[in-house]
Amino acid sequence: MRIINIRLGRPAVVTLALLPFIAALIVYAVASDIRLTANPADRLLPAPGTVLTTAGQLLSEPDRRSGDILFWQDTWASLQRLLLGVGISATIGLIFGLLIGLIPVARALLAQFVAVVSMIPPLALLPILFIVFGLGELSKVVLIVIGTLPFLIRDLSQRVLEVPQELVVKAQTLGASTWVIAIRVVLPQMMPRLIQAVRLSLGPAWLFLIAAEAIAADAGLGYRIFLVRRYLAMDVILTYVIWITLLAFVMDWGLRTLSRKAFPWAEAGL
Amino acid sequence: MSFVTVENLFQSYGRRPIIERVNVTVAEGEFISIVGASGCGKSTFLRLLLAQETPTRGEIRINGAAPAREPGLDRGIVFQRYSVFPHLTVRENILAGESFRRGWGRFWGAERRDALARADETLARIGLDHVADQYPATLSGGMQQRLAIGQALVARPKVLLLDEPFGALDPGTRVQMHDFLTELRTQTQMTVFMVTHDLGEAFKLGDRVLVFDKVRWDPQDPNLHGATITYDFDACTGGIPFQTLKEDIHVYHTA
């Protein structure tokens, strides 16, 4: 039997899916053990148990100076920036994607400009953003917007162009104006695609968030990681990295579920 | 008398002529079938009727009105595919036929309730009331086309254009759709243009059958000349007029 035709049952699929995770854990545990046997004071690869203990402390013990639990404070600060940035980006991206995709005049005016602007490396603009918007929240949110917006606009305008021309013509024969075509025909069909595009831009969004926080912030997940790096506190860094991964994964999963629940027609038809 | 007038119509894409010198008049309520080989400008002619394209020369008038510059309420269309809105349920699709002309594309309050009642009546008439709350993707091809025709008719167009509406259906469903269309036509007395590849279908449904073909053919450059209407059959005689008896006194009658 050909390998491409081998199908697995549910238990086998779950086992196989878990295998790489377990393998990674084992590799880490062994490597950590080897280093710790050689030098019990080694800080580079703390034992899994140590990481767990640190994680427990981070999640529950308040900061001695301020009395807040820094872990949750960092999480809240970062999530706020991320959601604000991605939300603004998605809204503007949707509006401009519709304009460029649906209206030839807007396309002639903006498509090339967006294509050129999307080539600017957003991180190269970060110093400018810090100078213009200061070191506060605004510059971080703007970096996320600048980093994800061009992709969203280009992706969504392309998706609008992919809406079958027949549907647009049909709507016109039913007497629909440009506005009605935009809000009743194209916009609803864009929503599942918007969610898909947002899912894809969450990765870059986290990247820009952590980059901005690493350089100038007083709270945030990225800020904390780069702060404790100075003390080689690998147990703290690992806890934060795992937490960020988990948050990103849950967001992605949530958006996918939302798309499936809210747009049943897209699953069946497209 | 003539409801749709097509006068000296030319259309070329770039330097390539597609159709040339098309002249035809159609009376109100006539069913016109359009046949011809692939690439002979049938669909182009339909798009011109729809005003989705502007002809390079000539004009099309419906009921004496000025030539249309974009698709509008007076022309309804059913394509082979993508004729219904996938994100609206079957009932909402019918409702769209009435509500899309409004400022926000929707009805509100009492108006909406009335429109919904009318939509349900339409659905019952076209036999789709049992799937009213489903999305079109869950429907069979024949049901989707029935919905598309129903939706187009709800908007009450002056002319209904059908672009190979049954091309993707299996033969059995096709025959059912013929009956459905014939029935709707007797109810609405609509003027219909239908492009089809199926000659039998063309003669079965149409009052007239227009044949598009190239009259001039350059062997070195097949795209040099465009197509035009080469035959205009009266479908009531099956396209064979010389078999109609003109004399009724001195002939033997079988029936």
Side-chain angles (χ1 to χ4, degrees):
Chain A
M1 194 170 171
R2 292 181 188 81
I3 297 176
I4 54 165
N5 289 328
I6 297 175
R7 299 279 189 273
L8 298 170
R10 183 83 189 152
V13 168
V14 172
T15 313
L16 280 183
L18 285 176
L19 218 53
F21 291 101
I22 297 166
L25 255 176
I26 291 174
V27 168
Y28 178 85
V30 170
S32 158
D33 194 54
I34 291 171
R35 283 190 74 98
L36 286 172
T37 337
N39 172 18
D42 179 66
R43 310 206 58 170
L44 208 59
L45 295 178
T50 318
V51 177
L52 269 180
T53 320
T54 310
Q57 286 168 0
L58 284 172
L59 264 70
S60 58
E61 284 179 17
D63 181 43
R64 258 169 289 166
R65 193 164 53 83
S66 64
D68 299 320
I69 299 178
L70 291 177
F71 184 82
W72 299 118
Q73 221 177 18
D74 289 336
T75 304
W76 175 237
S78 284
L79 277 184
Q80 222 175 355
R81 292 164 188 152
L82 187 82
L83 296 183
L84 204 60
V86 172
I88 292 172
S89 197
T91 313
I92 302 178
L94 187 61
I95 293 170
F96 276 88
L98 271 179
L99 281 174
I100 291 174
L102 195 58
I103 301 172
V105 178
R107 184 155 60 240
L109 182 71
L110 293 171
Q112 292 309 313
F113 181 70
V114 173
V116 170
V117 167
S118 69
M119 291 300 142
I120 301 173
L123 279 179
L125 295 179
L126 189 55
I128 304 178
L129 298 181
F130 279 142
I131 294 167
V132 175
F133 298 112
L135 298 177
E137 297 302 298
L138 189 58
S139 55
K140 299 174 191 65
V141 173
V142 171
L143 179 69
I144 295 174
V145 172
I146 289 181
T148 53
L149 185 57
F151 162 74
L152 281 175
I153 293 182
R154 294 182 78 184
D155 188 64
L156 286 172
S157 57
Q158 198 53 43
R159 298 284 99 72
V160 173
L161 284 170
E162 281 166 14
V163 169
Q165 199 54 36
E166 284 91 337
L167 291 182
V168 177
V169 171
K170 177 90 187 197
Q172 292 182 61
T173 65
L174 301 180
S177 61
T178 302
W179 169 244
V180 170
I181 291 173
I183 61 161
R184 293 281 278 136
V185 180
V186 181
L187 184 65
Q189 299 204 40
M190 279 311 108
M191 294 316 285
R193 285 145 171 158
L194 173 71
I195 289 180
Q196 209 164 13
V198 166
R199 280 175 65 193
L200 287 176
S201 49
L202 272 180
W206 275 103
L207 166 73
F208 296 129
L209 173 74
I210 288 169
E213 286 180 344
I215 294 171
D218 50 14
L221 298 167
Y223 161 75
R224 195 67 55 193
I225 288 178
F226 277 79
L227 185 74
V228 301
R229 176 191 59 122
R230 298 172 195 168
Y231 317 118
L232 226 64
M234 281 296 281
D235 44 351
V236 179
I237 295 181
L238 282 174
T239 308
Y240 270 75
V241 169
I242 293 169
W243 176 236
I244 290 173
T245 312
L246 195 69
L247 282 177
F249 182 78
V250 167
M251 279 184 201
D252 186 67
W253 176 82
L255 284 173
R256 200 178 60 206
T257 312
L258 174 74
S259 175
R260 253 193 227 152
K261 287 263 154 42
F263 312 109
W265 53 268
E267 292 295 319
L270 296 173
Chain B
M1 173 61 199
S2 70
F3 186 62
V4 180
T5 324
V6 178
E7 244 179 53
N8 201 29
L9 197 70
F10 283 71
Q11 176 71 321
S12 356
Y13 297 149
R15 293 185 54 192
R16 191 182 146 203
I18 304 296
I19 53 178
E20 45 189 41
R21 286 190 324 283
V22 173
N23 287 288
V24 66
T25 56
V26 173
E28 185 159 15
E30 265 190 313
F31 192 122
I32 309 293
S33 298
I34 301 168
V35 296
S38 293
C40 260
K42 306 185 299 287
S43 290
T44 303
F45 181 60
L46 206 74
R47 279 199 294 275
L48 288 169
L49 280 171
L50 182 61
Q52 192 185 344
E53 293 176 8
T54 325
T56 39
R57 262 207 276 167
E59 57 183 37
I60 298 170
R61 288 172 187 277
I62 294 180
N63 211 3
R69 292 169 59 209
E70 57 180 6
L73 265 176
D74 51 351
R75 300 131 203 256
I77 177 86
V78 174
F79 296 105
Q80 185 173 354
R81 293 176 64 206
Y82 303 121
S83 268
V84 289
F85 302 109
H87 60 288
L88 301 177
T89 63
V90 169
R91 185 184 285 118
E92 287 167 339
N93 259 292
I94 293 290
L95 202 59
E98 288 189 66
S99 66
F100 268 23
R101 66 194 71 172
R102 310 296 291 267
W104 287 85
R106 309 179 165 276
F107 289 125
W108 316 94
E111 213 179 6
R112 179 176 165 80
R113 275 194 300 279
D114 294 349
L116 276 174
R118 279 199 301 278
D120 282 337
E121 268 171 42
T122 310
L123 283 176
R125 204 176 48 167
I126 63 178
L128 291 177
D129 40 351
H130 60 296
V131 288
D133 293 313
Q134 292 184 22
Y135 289 100
T138 63
L139 269 53
S140 70
M143 285 157 97
Q144 286 192 24
Q145 287 307 77
R146 243 189 296 171
L147 175 61
I149 294 172
Q151 183 191 46
L153 289 180
V154 162
R156 302 195 182 286
K158 290 179 186 145
V159 177
L160 180 63
L161 307 170
L162 309 171
D163 192 357
E164 294 182 41
F166 313 133
L169 305 181
D170 63 84
T173 314
R174 211 180 258 229
V175 172
Q176 287 174 13
M177 291 300 293
H178 292 168
D179 297 342
F180 168 69
L181 192 58
T182 315
E183 196 181 312
L184 274 188
R185 234 196 111 224
T186 42
Q187 286 169 14
T188 55
Q189 289 304 314
M190 179 93 51
T191 312
V192 185
F193 288 84
M194 179 180 74
V195 168
T196 177
H197 274 295
D198 184 341
L199 279 177
E201 183 177 274
F203 279 97
K204 178 180 172 188
L205 294 174
D207 297 321
R208 278 162 72 188
V209 178
L210 303 182
V211 182
F212 273 76
D213 203 357
K214 294 185 176 182
V215 272
R216 292 177 294 168
W217 176 267
D218 189 314
Q220 268 75 43
D221 187 2
N223 288 331
L224 189 64
H225 303 296
T228 187
I229 297 177
T230 49
Y231 291 95
D232 183 349
F233 292 116
D234 185 351
C236 309
T237 58
I240 323 176
F242 54 82
Q243 287 190 345
T244 319
L245 291 176
K246 296 287 185 191
E247 176 63 73
D248 57 354
I249 300 166
H250 304 287
V251 289
Y252 173 69
H253 288 277
T254 47

